[in-house]
Amino acid sequence: MAKVKTTFFCQNCGTQFSKWQGQCTACKEWNTIVEELVQKPEKSDWKTPTTASKRAAVPLLVSEIDTSKEPRLNTFDGELNRVLGGGIVPGSLTLLGGEPGIGKSTLLLQVSLGLPYKTLYVSGEESQKQIKMRAERVNPNNSNCYILTETKTQNIFKQIEALEPDIVIIDSIQTLHSDYIESSSGSISQIKECTTELIKFAKETATPVLLIGHITKDGNIAGPKILEHMVDTVLQFEGDRNHVFRILRAHKNRFGSTNELGIYEMQGSGLREVSNPSEILISKKDEELSGNAIAATLEGMRPLMIEVQALVSTAVYGTPQRSATGFNAKRLNMLLAVLEKRAGFRLGAKDVFLNITGGITVDDPAIDLAVVASILSSNEDVSIPKDYCFAAEVGLSGEIRPVQRVEQRILEAEKLGFATIFVSKYNKISLQNTAIKIQLISKMEDLVDFLV
Ligand code: TYD
Ligand code: MG
């Protein structure tokens, strides 16, 4: 019998240790290190056809590499095609992550049902009957999609060999388990092993595989970070579960840009593509209210439009109150001082409340201008047109400072249907013919002139 090998893994970040310890030295989390049984596979599961395994790779000149034989598979979903960079690349692994109940299973089932190719939808979470019930709501007339409820990779590969599907969908990677690893499904070593097996299968047969992945409570994909390195594309499906809109973004894409985003609306009969994104904004609020401003921020690599709300009122008690939710209170005080000193607004005797809607906390300094605009708007009781947005840092002398990757923010704002974006004059912008008006400002007074 093979010797049983165990290793310790941090369940938060996936770092491997040779012995147990209380704190993970990589991510500094406490009590996340768990012992997992690992048994090295003696032979791998996805057996290569003998002809293919004999073929060793040879170096080729870039100009000699032929890509014309690799057409992308059309998913018949405009938004998904765009986010993927024009369709699914044969032999690629795509990972779709998102909050529970956001609609990951619905999206991929809908895509599988809409495809004219032979599709295999493997579910480890729902029974065939449950999936059939959902399929009937989403797309009742389809004859190319096979449903399999299985969690063991060895059995999945057996079915794949028999069926020879053109595309494989796995819901979800955390429910899979391989016989070669003894730890339970969803553990770091299982996820690693199952993904490795799937990658091997995808690359050798040029069959694209789409995986659904769970996320942890802080929004990262559950399992080892290496999972995101192993796959070709990482998509994130996000949105507020209480709202009907869902946003699909690419976090990583080896075959396209990560600037694209897809917007869907959840309906009774599945997800509908939203081709006109400004629908979202119009449906959100009908009237313009004072104290609201939209910031074009970046969260990590992703552009994100965030609404900032301010309320400025006369202080009832001696010391005025300053309160900020989702924004650094010290920074708020600094911006108030700048407004007082450089733009002549007497805010010293006023209560100021600031809120970043959606429960998000923002560190990006580009939100400064929207914070200042919302305070001005509330103080003067004039509303800011709802198709205006802001992206700039505010300096101590009241100067409007440039921010990083401003073009990405401008493109996001344009995509979301904004008419005007306020940015610093000192930002270098080479975009031309944008549908959005780029308003360059250099000092606080310029902003006051526009808004008040
Ligand atoms: P689901 O796709 O199972 O989410 P996930 O796989 O990400 O956990 O379901 C998402 C939610 O969408 C579910 O709570 C019910 C809702 N829904 C609809 O509103 N309309 C539909 O047609 C379907 C299939 C689901
Ligand atoms: Mg699901």
Side-chain angles (χ1 to χ4, degrees), residues 169-187:
I169 290 170
I170 309 276
D171 184 3
S172 61
I173 183 72
Q174 280 83 6
T175 59
L176 292 193
H177 69 97
S178 167
D179 272 352
Y180 295 119
I181 301 278
E182 298 226 338
S183 55
S184 58
S185 335
S187 64

Side-chain angles (χ1 to χ4, degrees), residues 197-451:
E197 289 179 16
L198 286 166
I199 288 182
K200 202 153 172 268
F201 156 71
K203 302 290 169 202
E204 283 174 7
T205 59
T207 311
V209 178
L210 280 86
L211 305 170
I212 290 180
H214 295 169
I215 62 166
T216 59
K217 64 177 189 296
D218 38 343
N220 299 316
I221 293 186
K225 191 78 192 163
I226 196 168
L227 178 61
E228 287 167 61
H229 289 293
M230 285 159 92
V231 298
D232 299 299
T233 308
V234 180
L235 304 180
Q236 186 90 22
F237 206 32
E238 50 195 49
D240 191 339
R241 238 189 311 165
N242 304 321
H243 287 88
V244 288
F245 293 105
R246 305 280 188 271
I247 294 182
L248 183 69
R249 297 172 192 278
H251 264 244
K252 159 184 173 180
N253 192 351
R254 285 190 182 146
F255 314 111
S257 128
T258 50
N259 291 337
E260 297 289 354
L261 89 174
I263 303 177
Y264 295 90
E265 185 182 348
M266 182 60 95
Q267 293 184 337
S269 56
L271 291 156
R272 184 182 69 91
E273 297 168 33
V274 178
S275 42
N276 176 12
S278 53
E279 281 174 42
I280 293 188
L281 293 163
I282 294 158
S283 68
K284 259 192 201 158
K285 47 180 183 165
D286 306 323
E287 47 183 335
E288 289 166 356
L289 299 167
S290 71
N292 288 3
I294 312 269
T297 66
L298 284 178
E299 222 195 90
M301 285 298 287
R302 298 169 302 153
L304 193 67
M305 307 300 288
I306 292 175
E307 188 166 349
V308 182
Q309 292 188 312
L311 181 68
V312 180
S313 63
T314 313
V316 187
Y317 305 107
T319 327
Q321 292 189 62
R322 268 73 208 273
S323 137
T325 316
F327 188 73
N328 187 331
K330 283 196 180 131
R331 188 136 191 108
L332 172 65
N333 282 331
M334 185 214 100
L335 291 175
L336 290 172
V338 173
L339 266 171
E340 182 133 10
K341 179 103 180 171
R342 306 289 168 193
F345 288 94
R346 283 203 266 132
L347 297 165
K350 303 257 174 98
D351 286 343
V352 180
F353 303 97
L354 190 81
N355 182 31
I356 311 290
T357 55
I360 314 165
T361 303
V362 187
D363 300 324
D364 186 359
I367 198 174
D368 283 0
L369 195 60
V371 169
V372 167
S374 67
I375 294 168
L376 276 178
S377 159
S378 177
N379 189 48
E380 300 296 306
D381 203 21
V382 286
S383 59
I384 297 172
K386 60 183 173 191
D387 52 5
Y388 276 24
C389 63
F390 306 86
E393 190 181 339
V394 175
L396 280 181
S397 56
E399 81 275 23
I400 308 297
R401 299 167 62 95
V403 289
Q404 53 145 338
R405 299 220 301 278
V406 74
E407 297 190 348
Q408 205 180 336
R409 302 170 199 260
I410 295 173
L411 291 175
E412 173 90 351
E414 182 178 25
K415 176 111 205 293
L416 290 174
F418 284 90
T420 308
I421 183 165
F422 287 79
V423 296
S424 164
K425 200 173 97 182
Y426 308 108
N427 258 126
K428 281 204 190 70
I429 300 165
S430 53
L431 294 171
Q432 269 155 7
N433 302 328
T434 48
I436 188 167
K437 184 169 172 228
I438 304 167
Q439 188 66 58
L440 302 172
I441 55 175
S442 60
K443 27 184 215 310
M444 189 85 92
E445 291 90 318
D446 299 347
L447 180 71
V448 177
D449 289 343
F450 272 106
L451 301 182

Side-chain angles (χ1 to χ4, degrees), residues 4-72:
V4 177
K5 189 173 169 260
T6 68
T7 336
F8 296 82
F9 287 102
C10 168
Q11 300 295 310
N12 186 50
C13 68
T15 312
Q16 198 172 339
F17 297 93
S18 55
K19 60 175 176 41
W20 188 87
Q21 57 197 63
Q23 188 187 25
C24 170
T25 44
C27 69
K28 305 280 181 275
E29 282 287 318
W30 287 92
N31 285 332
T32 54
I33 294 171
V34 170
E35 182 173 18
E36 289 184 12
L37 284 162
V38 181
Q39 214 156 357
K40 275 273 159 266
E42 273 121 45
K43 60 177 191 315
S44 173
D45 255 286
W46 174 254
K47 276 178 238 82
T48 323
T50 39
T51 46
S53 63
K54 296 268 162 58
R55 199 183 57 210
V58 283
L60 282 177
L61 280 173
V62 173
S63 56
E64 284 174 356
I65 300 171
D66 185 11
T67 54
S68 58
K69 274 185 289 184
E70 296 225 339
R72 291 179 182 236

Side-chain angles (χ1 to χ4, degrees), residues 98-107 125-126 134 137-138 171 212 237 241 246 266-271:
E99 296 266 334
I102 202 78
K104 303 178 294 295
S105 309
T106 308
L107 177 68
E125 299 192 339
E126 285 151 289
R134 181 181 302 194
R137 285 165 66 186
V138 173
D171 184 3
I212 290 180
F237 206 32
R241 238 189 311 165
R246 305 280 188 271
M266 182 60 95
Q267 293 184 337
S269 56
L271 291 156

